[in-house]
Amino acid sequence: MADRDENGRDRELDERVVNIDRVSNVVKGGRRFSFRALTVVGDRNGRVGVGVGKAREVPDAIRKGFDRARSNMISVSLSEERTLPHELTAEYGAAKVFMKPASPGTGVIAGGGARAVLEAAGVEDVLSKSLGSDNIVNVVRATFKGLTEMMDLESRAKARGKSVEDLRPPWKVAD
């Protein structure tokens, strides 16, 4: 069982609030306002989760978001250099996110939503570009969807009918 703090949260998890929005519901007497919190949880070692929480108060929305993110965590296959094993493009709604492995020392080159997901997953070197919609919720979900579709290098090579050496990044082939 994981070590827990006074709020009941896992200590080793990296918890981030990516975005908080005020949303409204139109009812007979006018508008009813509530808050939507987009959160990301990860252990920086290959596990990451995304959650959206909605409530009338901000702290409740954040707590719900973290709970949902923790409940739908996935494992990501990372290469030994702490980068992605292969490049891919993932879509969610109108948002499209392109992610490509980068050589050691590059860092996380990504926009706000994609950066939060990739760093929480433990990716240290990656090139990323958000295409299409700039809706932060859809960009985060597209990044998360891309990480769920990520294969290890051996599986990817077998699926494409190539050898593992053909798919290695250029900086790794030179070694």
Side-chain angles (χ1 to χ4, degrees), residues 21-27 30-36 54-56:
D21 279 330
R22 188 177 82 160
V23 294
S24 64
N25 185 18
V26 179
V27 293
R31 291 190 188 105
R32 186 170 289 158
F33 294 104
S34 61
F35 295 91
R36 178 186 69 198
K54 283 168 48 172
R56 297 289 299 267

Side-chain angles (χ1 to χ4, degrees), residues 46 75-88 99-103 118 121-127 146-157 160 163-173:
S75 292
V76 180
S77 62
L78 299 176
S79 68
E80 60 272 0
E81 297 94 19
R82 309 284 292 170
T83 187
L84 305 178
H86 57 86
E87 66 181 53
L88 80 147
M99 295 176 279
K100 182 177 181 178
S103 59
L118 292 167
V123 179
E124 292 177 1
D125 301 303
V126 66
L127 301 171
L147 292 178
T148 61
E149 295 168 356
M150 188 76 57
M151 297 185 215
D152 60 344
L153 207 53
E154 291 77 23
S155 303
R156 180 81 173 171
R160 291 184 58 191
S163 72
V164 174
E165 293 304 316
D166 290 343
L167 297 183
R168 288 211 188 280
W171 67 89
K172 193 70 176 157
V173 174

Side-chain angles (χ1 to χ4, degrees), residues 11 18 29 32-33 35 42 53 61 67 70 102 115 148 162 164:
R11 283 184 203 248
V18 179
R32 186 170 289 158
F33 294 104
F35 295 91
D67 290 345
R70 257 186 248 101
R115 173 183 292 273
T148 61
K162 297 191 172 211
V164 174

Side-chain angles (χ1 to χ4, degrees), residues 1-172:
M1 189 70 193
D3 215 17
R4 307 232 180 221
D5 65 6
E6 64 277 354
N7 296 325
R9 293 195 180 120
D10 295 333
R11 283 184 203 248
E12 72 272 358
L13 293 179
D14 179 19
E15 297 178 333
R16 295 177 186 217
V17 177
V18 179
N19 188 24
I20 298 176
D21 279 330
R22 188 177 82 160
V23 294
S24 64
N25 185 18
V26 179
V27 293
K28 184 177 172 184
R31 291 190 188 105
R32 186 170 289 158
F33 294 104
S34 61
F35 295 91
R36 178 186 69 198
L38 176 62
T39 59
V40 174
V41 173
D43 66 355
R44 293 183 164 270
N45 201 17
R47 292 187 61 227
V48 67
V50 172
V52 176
K54 283 168 48 172
R56 297 289 299 267
E57 302 293 329
V58 174
D60 292 336
I62 293 171
R63 181 185 46 75
K64 285 181 181 181
F66 283 142
D67 290 345
R68 290 197 177 108
R70 257 186 248 101
S71 69
N72 62 28
M73 286 182 80
I74 60 159
S75 292
V76 180
S77 62
L78 299 176
S79 68
E80 60 272 0
E81 297 94 19
R82 309 284 292 170
T83 187
L84 305 178
H86 57 86
E87 66 181 53
L88 80 147
T89 304
E91 294 182 29
Y92 187 91
K96 189 185 285 189
V97 177
F98 172 73
M99 295 176 279
K100 182 177 181 178
S103 59
T106 304
V108 178
I109 311 294
R115 173 183 292 273
V117 176
L118 292 167
E119 286 180 349
V123 179
E124 292 177 1
D125 301 303
V126 66
L127 301 171
S128 172
K129 179 69 181 156
S130 175
L131 308 164
S133 172
D134 61 353
N135 180 324
I136 187 100
V137 176
N138 287 350
V139 169
V140 166
R141 287 189 170 164
T143 307
F144 185 71
K145 182 180 173 191
L147 292 178
T148 61
E149 295 168 356
M150 188 76 57
M151 297 185 215
D152 60 344
L153 207 53
E154 291 77 23
S155 303
R156 180 81 173 171
K158 186 176 179 184
R160 291 184 58 191
K162 297 191 172 211
S163 72
V164 174
E165 293 304 316
D166 290 343
L167 297 183
R168 288 211 188 280
W171 67 89
K172 193 70 176 157

